[in-house]
Amino acid sequence: MYRVTLGGATTKLASSAAGKSVWRPRFSYDGAFVYYSAGEYPQPLDVFRVAADGSSGVPVQASPVGLPGRNRNWSGSPSPDGTLLTFIEAGGVLHVYSMVTKVDWRSTVAADAPRFSPDGTWISFIDPSSLTLRIMHPDGTGLRQITADGLAAFGMHDWSPGGA
């Protein structure tokens, strides 16, 4: 995985072993880290982070370690203050993980591509069954659909800088 400037300068941020994939990179809100998913099917997938300036070169696992039967975690999105990480478990279940206390909250919501709002009060995600965009608070309250039925949301989405 590389960081490329608009001028074409490249900085290697992370490597993957043969047969392993690295995908869905996402900058932290302060720009200090890049979060990404890495692994090899059917082996575990996890969310990692690496310094965005390429200085560390050593990825750190950001998602929880050793979840028996739940070992495929991807699409990580850090909260603006860097204390929480939302990600998707195999089967599309949304998690909110405290990188401070190491507490992992497993929701009952099916989701894809979760993203924290710029103020950290909402998580947006795609409902894989209806392909609608939904939001909820990190504690699971306030769940609601924000796109009209029939307006399909595919792949990735993001918040505007002001969170509107």
Side-chain angles (χ1 to χ4, degrees):
M1 180 173 62
Y2 291 86
R3 183 190 74 213
V4 181
T5 68
L6 294 177
T10 60
T11 303
K12 187 176 189 176
L13 298 181
S15 297
S16 77
K20 297 204 181 225
S21 298
V22 173
W23 69 96
R24 289 196 175 181
R26 174 125 188 122
F27 276 97
S28 60
Y29 277 89
D30 64 4
F33 297 100
V34 175
Y35 288 75
Y36 62 96
S37 302
E40 176 183 11
Y41 184 82
Q43 300 302 317
L45 300 175
D46 283 297
V47 178
F48 295 87
R49 77 176 192 191
V50 67
D53 63 4
S55 62
S56 73
V58 178
V60 173
Q61 186 165 339
S63 59
V65 179
L67 295 173
R70 296 186 291 151
N71 63 355
R72 297 180 61 75
N73 306 316
W74 65 85
S75 293
S77 176
S79 62
D81 66 5
T83 63
L84 299 175
L85 177 74
T86 185
F87 63 90
I88 302 303
E89 166 195 329
V93 177
L94 185 135
H95 285 250
V96 179
Y97 177 66
S98 171
M99 293 186 282
V100 176
T101 65
K102 308 301 184 206
V103 172
D104 177 35
W105 176 70
R106 183 178 190 253
S107 77
T108 58
V109 175
D112 190 23
R115 296 289 177 248
F116 267 98
S117 64
D119 66 2
T121 61
W122 293 101
I123 297 172
S124 60
F125 60 92
I126 297 170
D127 178 322
S129 63
S130 65
L131 297 178
T132 56
L133 194 59
R134 295 179 180 236
I135 59 173
M136 73 177 192
H137 295 294
D139 66 2
T141 62
L143 176 65
R144 64 185 166 115
Q145 181 175 316
I146 62 170
T147 56
D149 288 335
L151 180 61
F154 291 101
M156 305 300 285
H157 67 281
D158 209 346
W159 290 86
S160 64

